[in-house]
């Protein structure tokens, strides 16, 4: 749930991805990505940043006027 895969990401069969993960462009996911709230990228994909918060404000209320 809530996984963002950039363009040209390849995920091998049987691999699981934790929730709230972003996988960078042209990455190869060959083993489980177990850290939630994280950014992975590379060939093979590796952890680049963890404890990342992803918030979205659909009305744009958190933008400074």
């Amino acid at each position: 749930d809530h996984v963002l895969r950039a363009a040209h990401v390849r995920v091998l069969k049987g691999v699981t991805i934790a929730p709230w993960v972003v996988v960078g462009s042209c990455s190869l996911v060959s083993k489980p990505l177990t850290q939630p709230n994280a950014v992975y990228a590379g060939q093979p994909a590796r952890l680049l940043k963890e404890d990342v918060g992803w918030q979205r404000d659909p009305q744009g209320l958190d933008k400074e006027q």
Side-chain angles (χ1 to χ4, degrees):
D1 292 335
H2 307 287
V3 173
L4 175 67
R5 293 183 313 146
H8 308 291
V9 171
R10 294 182 183 182
V11 180
L12 298 184
K13 191 176 189 178
V15 173
T16 58
I17 300 175
W20 299 103
V21 166
V22 173
V23 183
S25 181
C26 299
S27 296
L28 172 65
V29 182
S30 59
K31 57 185 174 182
L33 306 182
T34 58
Q35 179 69 35
N37 300 321
V39 177
Y40 289 86
Q43 292 188 6
R46 62 184 175 92
L47 180 63
L48 298 180
K49 190 167 186 176
E50 55 187 316
D51 297 326
V52 178
W54 305 105
Q55 294 289 333
R56 185 180 98 123
D57 183 19
Q59 286 112 11
L61 299 176
D62 59 356
K63 294 180 183 177
E64 293 185 25
Q65 301 287 337

